[in-house]
Amino acid sequence: MEISASAMRAASEVRVVFGRVKRRLKALADTDDLTPSQSSVLSRLDKDGPASASELAAAERIRPQSIAAILAALRQADLIQRHPDPEDGRRQVVSLTTSGRHRLQGDRKVRQEWLAQTLQEHCTEAERQTIIKALAVLDRAIEAATAR
């Protein structure tokens, strides 16, 4: 199947714009002392809830040794805690601490407020509605592609 010129242009534009947005939002976050992998694990725990180290390694697609190092650093920073699995006492479950949850929520709030302010100041209501609709289309396409 040949890819159309418009699909190639759309892919390029999405990649470039999302890259710029990601870099700007990353600069606003208070995660200078965290690696991208550590930030990803914190976000996963917030989104999906408590998990074992092996579940986190599988979800993050990294080796068990790597997740162990990430969890050790997060534990040292008091962002996560370990406790026995209520269903299997031999297993440890990892969850966010209160400070870990507060840190994530604060970072998200700062980033979302900056982006909302930027959209408010530089886009019309019609343009913001177009962005909402375009992102819904993009999300649907990505979901369909990953469901295969």
Side-chain angles (χ1 to χ4, degrees):
M1 172 198 240
E2 187 174 325
I3 299 174
S4 69
S6 65
M8 290 298 289
R9 180 168 179 211
S12 176
E13 293 290 328
V14 166
R15 186 184 52 76
V16 169
V17 171
F18 279 23
R20 268 193 228 132
V21 170
K22 183 179 177 181
R23 284 188 300 278
R24 181 63 180 127
L25 294 177
K26 185 175 174 14
L28 292 168
D30 183 27
T31 56
D32 290 338
D33 57 334
L34 297 179
T35 66
S37 295
Q38 291 167 347
S39 295
S40 180
V41 168
L42 284 181
S43 293
R44 183 170 300 282
L45 287 169
D46 186 50
K47 178 183 170 207
D48 298 340
S52 69
S54 60
E55 290 168 339
L56 288 169
E60 293 290 315
R61 296 190 167 121
I62 58 177
R63 296 184 335 246
Q65 299 88 334
S66 299
I67 199 70
I70 290 167
L71 294 177
L74 294 173
R75 177 71 190 107
Q76 181 72 28
D78 192 37
L79 299 174
I80 62 161
Q81 60 191 353
R82 293 177 184 256
H83 44 86
D85 184 333
E87 297 175 16
D88 182 353
R90 299 169 295 176
R91 214 168 71 135
Q92 293 281 305
V93 175
V94 179
S95 62
L96 291 175
T97 60
T98 301
S99 61
R101 185 166 278 103
H102 285 285
R103 179 166 177 166
L104 277 173
Q105 290 168 348
D107 287 348
R108 285 181 183 147
K109 184 178 180 195
V110 166
R111 292 187 307 250
Q112 186 160 340
E113 286 175 353
W114 174 83
L115 189 52
Q117 186 69 38
T118 298
L119 293 171
Q120 180 72 32
E121 291 175 359
H122 301 284
C123 299
T124 66
E125 180 61 30
E127 289 170 329
R128 290 190 296 272
Q129 292 302 319
T130 299
I131 291 168
I132 291 167
K133 289 174 185 167
L135 289 172
V137 170
L138 181 59
D139 188 47
R140 187 180 72 236
I142 299 299
E143 284 295 319
T146 56
R148 291 192 236 165

